[in-house]
Amino acid sequence: MKKCKGLFKKITSIGMAIVICSSMAFVQSPMRVKAEEIWPEPEGIQSDAACVIDINSGTLLYEKNADAVHYPASITKIMTALIAAENSSMDETVTFSQKAVYENEQGSSSIARDYGEQMTMEQCLYGMLLESANECAYAIAEHVGDGDCQKFVDMMNKKAKELGCQNTHFNNPNGLPDEEHYTSAKDMALIAAEAYKNPVVAKIVGTRQYTIPPTNKHVDPTPLNNHHMMLNFYKTSKWLYKYCLGGKTGYTKVANSTLVTYAKKDNMLLACVVMNTSQTAQYEDTTKLFNYYFDNFAEYTVKDSVDLNESGKTGILGKDITLLNIGDGSVIIPKTVDLSTVKAQIKETKSKSASNSKEKKAGRIEYTYANHVVGGADLLYTTNTVDTYPFHNVKKSDGGSSIPYIKIDFKFILEIIIGVLVIIGVFVFISKKIKGAKIRHPKRAKLYKRDLSMYKKIKKNDPKKRNRRKRR
């Protein structure tokens, strides 16, 4: 019995030792498991459809039912403003037609313009984007469309296709209810991002108040207020957001509330679109989305973050990167992710640049993470041409030389020297010609010979010369 107990103890102790050794071995040599790529997203977004886009990189950060078709209401005017800004000057005179004034839904947004009233394009854009004036939108469309509103609407649809919109069709410039007038949150985000790159649109959507001066029909000025309550103290200060840069509101009974908002924090510039939501939820959702992505994502400039000298970076472009530069571009990723772990792919381009361009597009470096395209930049080949002297043409504050310099044009100097030598040669040649001409003249030659013979005789009979000979 004692022997059995002793044997049991030995077996138990051996087993324990094996377990401990195995545990130690596991701790010392852990298995390396690649971290799963996770795209963080906020929860509790109430709007039926929403989308957030990073304007700098073009990355779609958030999508909820983003491809679902909805009525846009007055956020349509973002596209109207973009087309107008691209196809007119701000000082052009816009005249309000009878259609512009009267063919709008009764009770819809307006600043009470009259038939025949005249304002500048800039004033019309302020009226349309701040007060959402439908008559201003129609007048803008007629003016840019050479009197034809449908022509302007066609321009809107063409632009939407160019931007990659797949679920959009516009049928008017103001967003009033129409079964053939619709878009999606994703398409509207693409439009909003492109519109903000236009300085005219960016300036106007970010203006809190504006006053239209007296016109030919109104003797008093017309004050305007931006209805976007995250930017402007309009009715309430509850929704004011310190990073907000502006945007556009929208509402109809069939569309419900729609909202486009721009915000910037540090180097991140975002556009948020919410559709088919309530007047309260539109601001709650937009604020939540902005805060989430500002807090959890970081943006990097590609040219400051990539070293093309690292092996394999240029991929199909080859190893000769002496003239390869990185163009403007950025990448936005979760703060928990290291940029070096993000997948980078080089794509070759077939496009040709202008013959007089010093840079041509060789390809593009594109980054992806968690099945999201998170940005990139063009790769440019620069020709080996130097127009100015290095270092001296750089400001001292930027590390250049402070020594004044003179640019010497050797070709010009050589041309001057050759010119001077030619002039001297011509002058000498002409002088010799004149002298020879004088000597060869018949009468002068005869006189010269006579004078010469007389001179020789005088010299020969010179008494002083004879006295010198005698002394010798």
Side-chain angles (χ1 to χ4, degrees), residues 204-218:
I204 296 177
V205 297
T207 301
R208 291 177 173 83
Q209 291 92 26
Y210 181 82
T211 300
I212 298 174
T215 68
N216 60 323
K217 296 289 184 176
H218 283 80

Side-chain angles (χ1 to χ4, degrees), residues 5 22 89 97 117 134 152 156 171 187 199 223 261 265 269 272 298 314 351-352 357 367 402 414 435 453:
K5 286 183 178 180
S22 299
S89 298
S97 68
E117 188 160 1
N134 290 315
F152 184 88
M156 294 171 69
N171 215 31
D187 287 358
T261 313
K265 183 180 180 183
L269 176 60
C272 178
T314 54
S351 62
K352 296 181 179 180
S357 176
Y367 291 85
S402 60
L414 183 60
K435 187 175 181 181
S453 62

